[in-house]
Amino acid sequence: MRRRTLSIIRVRGRPGDRTRGVLIAGGLAIPVMLGRSGIRADKREGDGATPRGRFRLVRLWWRADRSARPRTLLPVQRIEKAIAWCEDAADRRYNRPFRRSANEPGDRLWRGDHLYDVVIEIDHNTCPRVMNRGSAVFLHLARPNRAPTAGCVAFSGEDMSRLIARLGPKTRILIH
């Protein structure tokens, strides 16, 4: 049986705990971890907030050395050791992936832990890119202790696997 692609997924915070929420996707209700500052409309670089808004899912990044290529209709990009995300607001590459040399700063996508084994890039602060409005906001895997994120939306690997097969280029995420 082939499942239909979802047109929208929704993330909302949980009352009384700004770092936890729920992602609603079709008939699924998936517990998620949010940024340490909760959800905010006025996202700033380094504030620990998950941005409020409606976003496009750009592409899925994955570690080929840790799992098979995920089955999804999203564009897929393999994570290589040198790939990083620019978080320096003064850099022309701000909020974009780039090939990082050993001494260059940036949020490395190739990590020792499993947080970025599968990452979904969203189009927060991309068109136009506004300096200091936040970068590297992803959907990714949660820490084993389910700790808050630095501003992303995180969930279990099992939940990620169930979700990505239903995501495509026309799927939007609404964070509120």
Side-chain angles (χ1 to χ4, degrees):
M1 179 176 121
R2 185 170 184 174
R3 291 187 174 173
R4 289 179 19 162
T5 303
L6 296 166
S7 60
I8 192 157
I9 56 178
R10 291 178 169 81
V11 174
R12 66 170 196 247
R14 192 161 74 182
D17 188 347
R18 67 180 179 209
T19 66
R20 294 182 187 265
V22 64
L23 183 146
I24 306 296
L28 298 174
I30 299 172
V32 296
M33 301 309 303
L34 303 169
R36 66 182 179 275
S37 300
I39 297 172
R40 289 193 184 158
D42 61 342
K43 168 83 181 131
R44 298 285 180 199
E45 190 68 45
D47 66 0
T50 300
R52 178 182 317 272
R54 181 183 173 107
F55 307 102
R56 187 173 58 85
L57 306 180
V58 177
R59 70 185 133 193
L60 182 142
W61 296 79
W62 110 100
R63 289 271 304 260
D65 64 316
R66 293 196 172 161
S67 67
R69 186 182 196 273
R71 295 185 63 160
T72 183
L73 295 174
L74 289 170
V76 177
Q77 179 73 42
R78 185 180 297 210
I79 296 172
E80 299 171 15
K81 288 183 181 181
I83 299 294
W85 210 267
C86 185
E87 297 175 315
D88 179 356
D91 192 309
R92 65 177 172 73
R93 301 170 299 186
Y94 180 62
N95 198 26
R96 293 184 180 130
F98 70 101
R99 290 197 171 280
R100 175 185 142 161
S101 65
N103 299 329
E104 254 183 313
D107 186 8
R108 214 177 259 287
L109 297 187
W110 187 281
R111 295 173 57 119
D113 60 21
H114 293 279
L115 267 62
Y116 289 0
D117 285 3
V118 178
V119 173
I120 298 172
E121 173 188 346
I122 68 172
D123 72 344
H124 167 261
N125 192 27
T126 60
C127 192
R129 283 177 177 75
V130 178
M131 298 308 154
N132 292 310
R133 291 297 295 192
S135 63
V137 178
F138 306 127
L139 308 183
H140 64 73
L141 302 178
R143 289 181 173 82
N145 65 357
R146 300 194 48 83
T149 70
C152 297
V153 176
F155 36 96
S156 75
E158 181 181 315
D159 288 332
M160 175 74 89
S161 294
R162 291 189 315 168
L163 182 63
I164 60 176
R166 305 219 24 223
L167 302 178
K170 294 184 178 180
T171 305
R172 300 298 181 258
I173 183 168
L174 177 62
I175 303 172
H176 57 101

